[in-house]
Amino acid sequence: MGKISCIKINERDNVAIAVDAIPAGTTVIEGVVANQDIPQAHKIALCDIPQDAPVIRYGVVLGYAIDPIKKGDWINEHMLHLPVPPSVDNMTFASNIVTELPEPPVTTWEGYRNPNGGPAGTRNILGISTTVQCVTGVLNVAVKKMKEELLPKYPNVDDIVPINHAYGCGVAINAPEAKIPIRALRNLAKHPNFGGELMVVSLGCEKLTVDMLLDEADISPDNVIVLQEQQGFDAMIDALMAMADKKLARLNERRRETLPLSDLLIGMQCGGSDAFSGVTANPSAGYAADMLVKGGATVMFSEVTEVRDGVHIIGERCINEEVGRKLADEMRWYDHYLENGQVDRSANPTPGNKKGGLANIVEKAMGSIAKSGSSPIVEVLSPAERPTKHGLIYAATPASDIVCGPCQLASGIGLQVFMTGRGTPYGLAIAPVIKVCSRNDMKNMWQDLIDVNAGPIATGDSTIPEVGTELFSLIIDVASGRKQSFAEKYKLHNDLCIFNPAPIT
């Protein structure tokens, strides 16, 4: 088989993307000669496209030609008018329900049973929640001391993680949308990886009071330390050390058990995407997601602006009208949120996305959706909500990596799979992150940061099922503690950015 020079996704497409950089004058397919140098992952016109005519990829209109485009031309982000987003008012639901999914190689894993019920833990961590950013300095000093002096005594505990954030004071705590950050922090405090142990650090004068963070039954001196009640810095550190010691002793008794996949909750996210993301990395993740769902696991995907232009496709996969209407409601809410900021979903793509061949948010969204696979969507969640169903879930979140991640953690994921084309060292402290890249060049550049390379799909050296099965197996091994991802190995932990659409005062 000859070398693949470009990839056309759908028979309706009038463009293809370059597998490698294409010099001007190269015949890419029969009858199509590159009129200019085409950068890797960028689009080449397969036919003449008149002014205002649609440019089509994935069988979807990416936009309309600002000027006439000749066959063989390089098509970039400066050449298209953005189309109107699809309406959410008259969507069709439950018309594309796929039940024939790939069989998973295994249907069990080794996890920590959740004492609170719900998804099991993939790690054994002492999580220390905070009510306000003001306590971060003291807590960080204490955590450093805990890791040096306490953690070595408890070999079955993986880590100690402070839940530091920028919320809690100087905020309109009673604003309607304050429910989102409050819900996120409440759910983070009870993350499955924390083994049911609650430890909260409060300042004492903040707006996010302890009773907003914890249930009444959990508010006690055994779980809460108020710094303003301590006699100075040394007393604060001593109190934090003493409480942590008790919590660590209990966590040290936790053991992994063989559990069904129904106890596993996985998050799917992508960042630093390129035009290959929707061809290689995201479809491979989607195949792994279908395997997980087939085996009984729960998988969530997110990022509102990165599904907005394909929402009608998502709607067809919702199992019923109730789920579909919740999807429409979340899209409307986010449309309004962006309008209030005087922008729309076109604010999403980054310079790196465009350099990687993504012309606009439509193209980015169509590639992003591929990570959801083909399973029916059984539930739609608002930001940071906990799932109540097993299967594929759409969890509405911002697309920002460092905001989506905490939202998915609050929803209870024990592991995140993160697809990238341009590359990012992103990671989470609370749960392991597996990194999947979309192209060979990325893996060659970052051998020790990328866990799975989906690039061979683009060159014809591998298939989506093959890479998807490889990824599935790695998910099970990392979730079970048999392996570490590179992000976990190097402790690459991004800050927790809690989504707060309410006013800051």
Side-chain angles (χ1 to χ4, degrees):
M1 185 175 68
K3 182 181 178 182
I4 299 172
S5 61
C6 63
I7 297 174
K8 178 180 175 181
I9 300 294
N10 186 285
E11 62 180 15
R12 294 185 58 223
D13 294 355
N14 55 12
V15 300
I17 65 166
V19 173
D20 293 299
I22 299 173
T26 302
T27 299
V28 294
I29 58 175
E30 185 176 353
V32 179
V33 178
N35 297 327
Q36 304 92 21
D37 292 342
I38 312 292
Q40 184 187 42
H42 282 245
K43 290 171 288 299
I44 183 171
L46 300 179
C47 61
D48 291 338
I49 302 173
Q51 183 178 7
D52 296 325
V55 174
I56 301 172
R57 185 180 176 219
Y58 296 109
V60 170
V61 176
L62 301 184
Y64 299 92
I66 295 173
D67 296 305
I69 298 170
K70 294 181 180 179
K71 181 169 65 173
D73 277 356
W74 169 29
I75 299 176
N76 57 51
E77 71 271 17
H78 304 295
M79 300 169 69
L80 305 180
H81 287 298
L82 192 67
V84 175
S87 171
V88 297
D89 293 331
N90 298 296
M91 290 195 295
T92 301
F93 307 129
S95 63
N96 183 24
I97 303 300
V98 175
T99 56
E100 293 186 12
L101 302 173
E103 291 288 341
V106 297
T107 56
T108 61
W109 65 295
E110 305 297 315
Y112 294 99
R113 195 176 297 278
N114 191 338
N116 296 321
T122 61
R123 295 296 182 266
N124 188 23
I125 294 170
L126 173 59
I128 306 177
S129 295
T130 61
T131 57
V132 66
Q133 203 274 342
C134 307
V135 305
T136 296
V138 171
L139 180 56
N140 285 349
V141 172
V143 168
K144 182 175 184 294
K145 189 176 176 68
M146 291 171 194
K147 290 184 177 184
E148 291 171 352
E149 299 179 15
L150 298 181
L151 196 56
K153 297 173 15 183
Y154 302 108
N156 295 323
V157 181
D158 296 311
D159 205 355
I160 301 170
V161 176
I163 311 301
N164 294 322
H165 56 88
Y167 196 69
C169 213
V171 294
I173 201 74
N174 295 318
E177 300 306 343
K179 65 186 178 184
I180 292 174
I182 294 172
R183 177 169 63 219
L185 291 169
R186 283 180 62 88
N187 285 342
L188 280 169
K190 293 188 176 182
H191 190 275
N193 285 353
F194 298 162
E197 294 297 330
L198 288 168
M199 182 170 172
V200 176
V201 184
S202 163
L203 181 60
C205 61
E206 60 271 32
K207 284 191 169 184
L208 181 65
T209 53
V210 172
D211 61 290
M212 294 181 182
L213 187 67
L214 298 180
D215 297 333
E216 184 178 356
D218 294 323
I219 301 173
S220 74
D222 292 332
N223 295 332
V224 180
I225 291 174
V226 181
L227 295 189
Q228 288 176 350
E229 296 176 357
Q230 305 301 314
Q231 296 292 316
F233 176 74
D234 286 343
M236 295 175 188
I237 300 299
D238 289 345
L240 291 166
M241 292 288 286
M243 181 179 286
D245 199 22
K246 294 176 182 178
K247 304 288 184 181
L248 289 165
R250 287 195 288 269
L251 287 171
N252 199 53
E253 299 302 314
R254 293 180 88 195
R255 297 293 185 274
R256 291 186 183 272
E257 305 174 40
T258 300
L259 299 172
L261 284 182
S262 56
D263 285 341
L264 184 60
L265 174 56
I266 299 297
M268 296 283 178
Q269 189 185 348
C270 50
S273 299
D274 69 356
F276 288 119
S277 293
V279 179
T280 62
N282 288 348
S284 299
Y287 191 89
D290 285 344
M291 277 186 160
L292 287 161
V293 169
K294 178 70 172 180
T298 301
V299 178
M300 62 174 56
F301 69 110
S302 299
E303 303 171 90
V304 173
T305 52
E306 295 185 16
V307 305
R308 181 64 180 85
D309 282 275
V311 67
H312 52 296
I313 299 170
I314 300 295
E316 292 172 355
R317 293 168 55 194
C318 292
I319 58 169
N320 55 40
E321 188 166 326
E322 179 184 2
V323 175
R325 293 202 179 282
K326 178 72 183 292
L327 174 68
D329 288 345
E330 291 299 331
M331 296 298 114
R332 287 192 195 94
W333 185 94
Y334 215 89
D335 284 350
H336 182 64
Y337 170 68
L338 292 175
E339 287 167 8
N340 283 344
Q342 300 183 39
V343 296
D344 62 21
R345 87 268 196 223
S346 67
N348 175 303
T350 68
N353 293 149
K354 294 172 183 178
K355 189 175 181 180
L358 293 174
N360 58 25
I361 186 57
V362 182
E363 187 172 13
K364 188 176 183 183
M366 298 313 300
S368 177
I369 287 171
K371 65 179 177 284
S372 68
S374 57
S375 303
I377 297 169
V378 299
E379 188 170 27
V380 172
L381 304 178
S382 297
E385 280 187 332
R386 288 285 178 89
T388 65
K389 304 283 197 310
H390 292 287
L392 182 67
I393 290 176
Y394 178 70
T397 75
S400 166
D401 300 342
I402 61 170
V403 180
C404 176
C407 283
Q408 288 194 347
L409 286 172
S411 294
I413 63 164
L415 182 150
Q416 190 179 70
V417 181
F418 192 101
M419 281 61 67
T420 186
R422 307 297 296 171
T424 170
Y426 164 95
L428 300 168
I430 297 174
V433 176
I434 292 173
K435 210 67 61 63
V436 183
C437 73
S438 68
R439 56 198 177 96
N440 292 332
D441 289 352
M442 185 74 258
K443 177 61 176 176
N444 292 337
M445 176 71 74
W446 282 7
Q447 282 284 344
D448 54 356
L449 285 169
I450 299 298
D451 301 292
V452 175
N453 177 22
I457 295 169
T459 58
D461 297 313
S462 192
T463 65
I464 289 169
E466 287 171 348
V467 177
T469 302
E470 176 190 354
L471 176 57
F472 173 91
S473 298
L474 184 60
I475 289 169
I476 299 303
D477 282 342
V478 172
S480 300
R482 293 189 287 265
K483 292 183 179 179
Q484 286 187 319
S485 67
F486 285 122
E488 183 179 25
K489 174 184 176 182
Y490 300 133
K491 298 187 181 298
L492 303 179
H493 301 157
N494 281 84
D495 294 336
L496 286 178
C497 185
I498 302 300
F499 182 35
N500 174 30
I504 295 176
T505 59

